[in-house]
Amino acid sequence: MKLLEERIQKDGVVKKGNVLKVDSFINHQMDVDLFNAMGEEFKRLFADHPIDKILTIEASGIGIACIVAQHFHVPVVFAKKSQSINLDGESYVTKVESFTHKRVYDVIVSKKYLNEGEHILIIDDFLANGCAVNGLIDLIQNAGALVEGVGIAIEKGFQVGGQLLREKGIRVESLAIVESMNDETGEIFFRAQEHQS
Ligand code: 5GP
């Protein structure tokens, strides 16, 4: 998606440790018009998929997921990161290693909000090694629901997450795929994606 790539070129900051900072339009201050354009593009890309619900993970996925959901007219459920083990049996639980915080969280969704047979679209801000998305897939499968696809704002294509998901046959659409980036020069290169706007 050219609009997003241009914005990353303009306002993204490449940090050490393979981290791309996009605080001025996604992760701290949020550009809602940009999110809206992203929602329109996800709707076009997943037009042939039945979507009953969007699933994301707190905190940074929630804003994007809500705006995207306005294009699908479905509810958004966000998985919660929990410090304590949840043993009440009322929730689906999985473990996710955080790329940015380098620690492992229990991630939970109430059994009330993920149901057998539902068609789920996963939305998140970044795809790196795929830990967050794989955790969400685990929750969906525990519920007996179906993963219709994964919609990501920014994929770091030089990390393994996207490739592993696509090899499993999961439809992954990332609106910008960073092929490489350099924290010394600040340069960012994107993978060409002809099927996107
Ligand atoms: P993964 O679980 O795929 O390894 O990492 C994805 C999660 O880590 C996303 O939910 C995102 O919040 C965070 N993340 C991973 N890489 C980056 C990055 O380069 N920049 C930012 N801002 N967040 C990232």
Side-chain angles (χ1 to χ4, degrees):
M1 185 185 178
K2 284 279 162 292
L3 190 67
L4 179 60
E5 290 179 0
E6 284 163 12
R7 189 61 179 274
I8 295 166
Q9 288 287 16
K10 183 168 155 277
D11 293 329
V13 181
V14 183
K15 296 282 185 187
K16 285 206 176 350
N18 285 334
V19 172
L20 177 61
K21 276 271 196 190
V22 288
D23 277 8
S24 66
F25 59 103
I26 293 183
N27 285 142
H28 197 6
Q29 175 169 262
M30 295 185 279
D31 183 335
V32 175
D33 285 338
L34 177 65
F35 288 10
N36 197 43
M38 286 164 39
E40 206 174 305
E41 182 67 351
F42 282 132
K43 177 66 184 166
R44 194 182 67 78
L45 292 166
F46 288 101
D48 52 344
H49 290 253
I51 307 292
D52 298 315
K53 207 168 263 186
I54 287 175
L55 180 66
T56 189
I57 183 164
E58 70 177 1
S60 52
I62 297 174
I64 296 173
C66 287
I67 304 293
V68 170
Q70 290 191 304
H71 293 265
F72 288 85
H73 304 286
V74 297
V76 175
V77 176
F78 63 94
K80 297 186 175 194
K81 290 174 182 161
S82 162
Q83 308 283 3
S84 54
I85 304 164
N86 191 295
L87 293 173
D88 62 8
E90 302 291 310
S91 303
Y92 298 112
V93 186
T94 193
K95 289 202 184 298
V96 168
E97 187 179 339
S98 160
F99 178 82
T100 33
H101 299 113
K102 306 278 180 249
R103 48 175 296 196
V104 176
Y105 293 91
D106 278 317
V107 172
I108 63 167
V109 170
S110 166
K111 290 184 177 174
K112 283 191 276 191
Y113 305 128
L114 268 187
N115 300 297
E116 194 176 344
E118 281 180 329
H119 297 260
I120 311 290
L121 175 63
I122 294 172
I123 294 286
D124 204 4
D125 59 342
F126 271 89
L127 176 60
N129 291 321
C131 301
V133 168
N134 278 306
L136 295 177
I137 290 173
D138 196 34
L139 294 171
I140 292 168
Q141 289 175 341
N142 285 344
L146 303 152
V147 180
E148 276 301 325
V150 179
I152 299 290
I154 306 171
E155 175 179 338
K156 291 184 292 181
F158 52 87
Q159 292 178 271
V160 294
Q163 190 190 334
L164 294 180
L165 290 167
R166 291 182 183 100
E167 279 172 6
K168 282 195 225 165
I170 294 169
R171 170 96 183 265
V172 181
E173 290 289 351
S174 301
L175 300 183
I177 303 182
V178 177
E179 205 66 274
S180 64
M181 57 188 202
N182 185 321
D183 62 65
E184 279 164 16
T185 61
E187 284 175 305
I188 303 170
F189 297 98
F190 296 100
R191 187 179 301 171
Q193 301 202 85
E194 304 305 337
H195 68 296
Q196 289 194 10
S197 67

